[in-house]
């Protein structure tokens, strides 16, 4: 289980994550959704000790992330951020092999190399294994990083927008893969997602954030609803039931803040709960 | 039967095919040996015992400096996750010169010179580590900063340190200034022999500290966040590296004065030549290149230009071009 207790992060006076207390159950796929600047990535970074928190504490599998030695945590928890810039010239296999560093400290055993092969196969990277990262497309590189994180073989896997740079086919494949990892290997997957429909179709649990706080949490059926999505995203979003999934349609949404779209009479939805001046950090 | 043996003979060489890094390292090793032998023997007239000892000390100093500059630049680039900055571009060696000047300025030349040179050297290194530690931890300790900001900060620090130095040099007594000049105008022809052994010890100690965390280098090069994810104690490791780098820069600056672009040149050539991300190969390759350039360059300066030009001018010329090329390529990317 991942627990946070009142964690807070502020830059100068801008509070990015505001006193969040949260429990993410072990096992399954949990998605964190919300508009830009809601504090999703910051929350994930603090839980994974990439960013120190100003206040509060976070525990993963009972380990306090601020107090536990980093290398012990690296065998329980892995995190992948959005843009990963690498200075050195690496092949895909080199990168994925780094996932074994917490265990082998740079001296991979045959068993480690077995894990590397499995991870490469899992993400369909076998044919690209010896290509250099800078020769790959953005999506292929993204998959290589995910392979590294899976190769780390931790119980908890945190991914910040893993669908970045992926086309439809690879996005679906990635979500299916994560779903399978959770189901077959019993891992706990936590994702930050922008595409709420992927969140709806693949998650067990959804956490909706807004303005640095958890606005709503629950099963996809509880969260993917027009009245809740409107309060999270400030636009009218229609939700349809399709083949047992709830699909949100927002491409021609009315009621944008500042009336940017649908200026016709009656197009404006009443704005609730959002006090003025809250639209920050983009 | 004979066919089998024949095929085995044909197949045998394949098992001893050398990997690319190993092959390149062997070539570099041979080149290092050649320049060392040439430097020791070329144009040697008179008493061999004297010539070998005289040139041997010179080579030892150059080897120390080559090692310090190469290792400090590569480690600095690994810790700061970039390939364009080097300690000297960030003003490390200007800081060292400033500290030397400040010592004379505050204590006065008489008292400063009265201090045992080795004690003074140690004190300078210590102050430098403390200062640089604070300054660069603040710069690199937090999450990744933009490269442009870092270059700008480095240039401004460099200018600040140099102007503070020259201001103090203007203010001190002319007699004291000449003492200071003696300290500052170091080169391979006039380095302080007394400091050689102490420098070797300091660099040995720093290398030992680096050796103990050597397994983290490859991981650190992946960037802060990936390194933390893989369980590297980032703050501690980067701090150790910065201390090691500072000591090495202080030693090399004390021995031969500042050389801005040399580290950048050898580090980037090493990345290019060795073609692997593994520091196990990059570090020795950079050191070998530094040895070849320094000793070979000094050889050319002494035997071809007959001391008419200074090695640092040649090195800075090529290093500066490399820096511009890297910047342009970085911007293009």
């Amino acid at each position: 289980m991942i627990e946070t207790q009142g964690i807070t992060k502020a830059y100068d006076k801008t509070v990015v994550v505001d006193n969040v207390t949260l429990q993410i159950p072990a096992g399954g796929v949990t998605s964190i959704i919300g508009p830009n600047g809601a504090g999703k990535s910051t929350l994930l970074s603090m839980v994974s000790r990439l960013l120190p928190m100003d206040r509060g504490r976070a525990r993963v599998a009972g380990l306090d992330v601020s107090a536990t030695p980093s290398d012990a945590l690296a065998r329980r928890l892995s995190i992948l951020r959005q843009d990963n810039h690498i200075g050195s010239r690496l092949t895909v296999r080199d990168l994925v092999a780094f996932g074994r560093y917490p265990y082998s400290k740079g001296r991979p055993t045959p068993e480690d190399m077995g894990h590397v092969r499995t991870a490469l196969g899992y993400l369909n990277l076998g044919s690209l294994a010896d290509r250099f990262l800078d020769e790959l497309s953005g999506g292929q590189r993204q998959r290589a990083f995910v392979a590294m994180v899976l190769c780390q073989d931790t119980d908890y896997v945190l991914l910040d927008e893993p669908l970045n740079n992926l086309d439809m086919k690879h996005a679906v494949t990635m979500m299916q893969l994560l779903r399978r990892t959770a189901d077959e290997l019993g891992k706990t997957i936590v994702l930050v997602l922008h595409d709420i429909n992927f969140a709806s179709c693949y998650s067990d649990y959804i956490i909706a954030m807004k303005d640095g706080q958890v606005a709503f949490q629950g099963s996809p059926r509880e969260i993917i609803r027009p009245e809740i999505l409107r309060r999270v995203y400030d636009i009218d979003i229609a939700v349809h039931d399709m083949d047992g999934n709830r699909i949100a349609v927002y491409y021609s949404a009315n009621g944008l803040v500042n009336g940017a779209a649908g200026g016709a009479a009656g197009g404006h939805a009443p704005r609730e709960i959002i006090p003025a001046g809250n639209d920050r950090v983009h | 039967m004979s066919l089998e043996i024949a095929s085995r003979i044909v197949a045998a060489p394949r098992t001893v095919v050398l990997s690319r890094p190993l092959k390149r390292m062997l070539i570099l090793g041979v080149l290092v040996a050649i320049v060392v032998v040439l430097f020791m023997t070329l144009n040697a007239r008179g008493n061999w015992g004297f010539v070998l000892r005289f040139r041997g000390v010179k080579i030892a100093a150059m080897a120390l400096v080559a090692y310090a500059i190469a290792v400090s630049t590569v480690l600095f680039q690994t810790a700061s996750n970039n390939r364009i900055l080097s300690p000297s571009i960030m003003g490390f060696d200007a800081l060292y010169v400033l500290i030397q000047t400040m010592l004379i300025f505050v204590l006065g030349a008489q008292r400063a010179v009265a201090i045992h040179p080795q004690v003074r050297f140690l004190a300078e290194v210590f102050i430098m580590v403390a200062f640089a530690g604070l300054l660069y931890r603040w710069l690199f300790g937090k999450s990744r900063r933009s490269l442009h900001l870092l270059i700008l900060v480095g240039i401004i620090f460099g200018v600040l340190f140099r102007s503070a130095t020259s201001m103090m040099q203007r203010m001190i007594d002319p007699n004291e200034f000449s003492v200071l000049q003696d300290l500052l105008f170091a080169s391979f022809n006039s380095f302080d022999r007394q400091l050689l052994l102490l420098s070797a010890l300091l660099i040995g100690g720093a290398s030992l500290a680096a050796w103990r965390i050597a397994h983290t280098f490859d991981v650190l090069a992946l960037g802060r966040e990936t390194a933390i994810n893989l369980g590297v104690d980032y703050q501690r490791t980067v701090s150790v590296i910065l201390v090691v780098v500072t000591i090495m820069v202080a030693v090399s600056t004390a021995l031969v004065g500042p050389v801005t672009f040399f580290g950048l040149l050898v580090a980037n050539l090493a990345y290019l030549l060795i073609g692997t991300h593994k520091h196990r190969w990059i570090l020795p390759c950079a050191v070998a290149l530094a040895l070849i350039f320094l000793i070979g360059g000094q050889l050319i300066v002494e035997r071809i230009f007959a001391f008419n030009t200074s090695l640092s001018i040649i090195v800075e010329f090529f290093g500066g071009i490399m820096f511009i090329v890297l910047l342009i390529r970085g911007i293009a990317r």
Side-chain angles (χ1 to χ4, degrees):
Chain A
M1 186 158 73
I2 298 177
E3 304 164 82
T4 71
Q5 239 168 52
I7 62 176
T8 299
K9 183 78 196 175
Y11 295 107
D12 292 326
K13 292 215 169 109
T14 319
V15 182
V16 185
V17 171
D18 189 4
N19 198 18
V20 169
T21 300
L22 186 65
Q23 291 187 344
I24 299 174
V29 176
T30 300
S31 299
I32 305 176
I33 61 169
N36 290 341
K40 312 177 292 290
S41 297
T42 311
L43 178 71
L44 210 63
S45 294
M46 285 194 284
V47 170
S48 56
R49 64 155 164 11
L50 294 185
L51 198 67
M53 43 198 106
D54 295 343
R55 246 180 302 123
R57 54 196 287 182
R59 284 142 77 86
V60 174
L63 303 171
D64 188 320
V65 295
S66 325
T68 310
S70 195
D71 59 336
L73 269 178
R75 293 190 286 265
R76 305 303 301 277
L77 161 84
S78 51
I79 165 86
L80 181 64
R81 291 287 317 261
Q82 300 172 39
D83 30 48
N84 296 283
H85 166 85
I86 286 193
S88 32
R89 218 168 127 79
L90 292 178
T91 63
V92 173
R93 191 191 308 279
D94 291 334
L95 179 73
V96 176
F98 272 115
R100 300 310 294 170
Y101 177 81
Y103 306 90
S104 62
K105 301 284 185 235
R107 291 164 198 272
T109 61
E111 190 203 329
D112 288 322
M113 292 324 282
H115 277 279
V116 173
R117 271 191 300 276
T118 313
L120 285 170
Y122 237 66
L123 278 129
N124 248 332
L125 288 165
S127 56
L128 298 174
D130 293 311
R131 293 267 291 276
F132 283 100
L133 286 180
D134 51 8
E135 299 165 352
L136 301 182
S137 72
Q140 291 168 329
R141 208 174 305 139
Q142 177 75 357
R143 273 154 59 209
F145 275 99
V146 172
M148 178 191 84
V149 167
L150 289 186
C151 194
Q152 210 176 325
D153 195 22
T154 53
D155 297 337
Y156 293 83
V157 181
L158 277 47
L159 302 160
D160 193 350
E161 294 189 37
L163 304 185
N164 246 3
N165 291 321
L166 296 187
D167 59 20
M168 283 180 276
K169 176 186 158 201
H170 285 112
V172 170
T173 316
M174 177 69 73
M175 288 308 291
Q176 283 172 343
L177 167 90
L178 294 174
R179 186 70 250 175
R180 227 171 78 210
T181 322
D183 294 340
E184 290 171 11
L185 307 175
K187 297 191 184 300
T188 308
I189 312 267
V190 181
L191 311 162
V192 168
L193 283 182
H194 264 302
D195 188 327
I196 49 177
N197 289 329
F198 272 124
S200 168
C201 297
Y202 288 93
S203 321
D204 300 303
Y205 200 69
I206 294 180
I207 294 166
M209 287 188 72
K210 185 175 178 140
D211 298 333
Q213 292 178 320
V214 173
F216 301 95
Q217 48 185 316
S219 66
R221 205 146 275 282
E222 291 165 318
I223 300 296
I224 306 299
R225 292 157 67 160
E227 63 275 21
I228 286 183
L229 292 180
R230 168 146 47 76
R231 284 166 67 178
V232 174
Y233 289 98
D234 295 335
I235 52 174
D236 284 331
I237 297 175
V239 174
H240 301 279
D241 252 310
M242 287 174 162
D243 304 330
N245 285 318
R246 294 176 85 83
I247 302 296
V249 181
Y250 47 86
Y251 298 100
S252 57
N254 287 331
L256 288 183
V257 180
N258 304 331
H268 286 278
R271 284 177 60 192
E272 305 170 42
I273 60 160
I274 313 118
N278 248 355
D279 195 29
R280 67 195 173 197
V281 195
H282 284 283
Chain B
M1 187 66 177
S2 65
L3 202 79
E4 196 185 317
I5 291 169
S7 73
R8 214 180 279 167
I9 291 167
V10 172
R14 209 179 298 162
T15 54
V16 284
V17 161
L18 303 174
S19 67
R20 173 180 153 160
L22 187 59
K23 232 187 293 178
R24 302 261 157 124
M25 267 321 291
L26 286 177
I27 296 172
L28 287 176
V30 171
L31 284 176
V32 170
I34 291 175
V35 288
V36 168
V37 169
L38 279 181
F39 189 83
M40 293 297 275
T41 56
L42 213 63
N43 275 354
R45 283 186 220 101
N47 185 340
W48 272 97
F50 171 76
V51 169
L52 288 186
R53 213 180 53 212
F54 180 75
R55 294 186 178 179
V57 172
K58 227 174 184 177
I59 281 211
M62 280 194 279
L64 216 53
V65 169
Y67 175 86
I69 292 180
V71 171
S72 65
T73 308
V74 170
L75 290 188
F76 183 82
Q77 297 198 332
T78 295
S80 59
N81 197 23
N82 84 85
R83 289 185 166 185
I84 295 181
L85 300 178
S86 70
S88 12
I89 292 173
M90 296 303 293
F92 271 58
D93 43 12
L95 178 63
Y96 183 75
V97 174
L98 175 65
I99 289 171
Q100 276 188 319
T101 309
M102 232 148 63
L103 212 63
I104 302 255
F105 185 75
V106 174
L107 294 180
Q110 292 264 300
R111 251 178 292 170
V113 174
I115 307 173
H116 196 282
Q118 302 188 349
V119 175
R120 194 181 61 223
F121 180 52
L122 278 181
E124 283 165 358
V125 170
F126 181 78
I127 296 173
M128 164 109 173
V129 169
F131 260 116
L134 284 179
L135 201 58
Y136 296 102
R137 251 192 83 143
W138 165 69
L139 265 181
F140 294 104
K142 295 259 173 65
S143 53
R144 205 153 64 87
R145 291 174 197 264
S146 100
L147 192 62
H148 298 101
L149 178 77
L150 287 179
I151 295 181
L152 211 61
V153 169
I155 290 168
I156 288 172
F157 274 147
V159 170
L160 177 74
F161 296 151
R162 274 175 215 119
S163 340
T165 305
S166 77
M167 188 188 77
M168 272 186 249
Q169 287 175 354
R170 263 155 230 264
M171 285 163 67
I172 55 179
D173 181 283
N175 288 324
E176 301 196 336
F177 181 65
S178 65
V179 173
L180 181 65
Q181 249 185 342
D182 248 17
L183 289 178
L184 293 180
F185 275 120
S187 80
F188 288 111
N189 301 310
S190 68
F191 60 87
D192 198 333
R193 263 148 232 262
Q194 280 184 302
L195 296 183
L196 201 55
L197 186 67
L198 187 63
S199 304
L201 285 176
L202 273 175
I203 288 191
S207 303
L208 204 67
W211 178 257
R212 297 189 51 186
I213 53 165
H215 61 91
T216 61
F217 294 163
D218 294 345
V219 184
L220 276 179
L222 301 179
R224 175 180 175 276
E225 285 164 358
T226 312
I228 294 178
N229 170 45
L230 293 173
V232 172
D233 186 345
Y234 187 79
Q235 285 284 350
R236 215 194 102 241
T237 314
V238 167
S239 303
V240 171
I241 290 182
L242 283 179
V243 169
V244 167
V245 165
T246 313
I247 290 175
M248 291 192 169
V249 172
V251 168
S252 87
T253 314
L255 284 178
V256 295
V259 263
T260 314
F261 291 118
F262 185 59
L264 190 79
L265 184 73
V266 293
N268 278 288
L269 279 181
Y271 302 139
L272 268 175
L273 265 181
I274 211 76
T276 163
H277 65 284
K278 297 202 169 84
H279 285 73
R280 191 177 344 132
W281 293 109
I282 295 174
L283 284 170
C285 180
V287 171
L289 283 169
L291 283 170
I292 294 168
F293 285 148
L294 264 195
I295 301 176
Q298 189 70 18
L299 191 71
I300 293 171
V301 167
E302 289 187 9
R303 307 279 168 255
I304 295 179
F305 291 108
F307 289 101
N308 272 337
T309 180
S310 141
L311 175 58
S312 60
I313 293 175
I314 302 175
V315 164
E316 297 291 45
F317 180 68
F318 287 110
I321 291 175
M322 180 97 188
F323 182 63
I324 292 170
V325 168
L326 285 173
L327 270 185
I328 291 172
R329 266 186 35 196
I331 290 163
R333 221 186 300 140

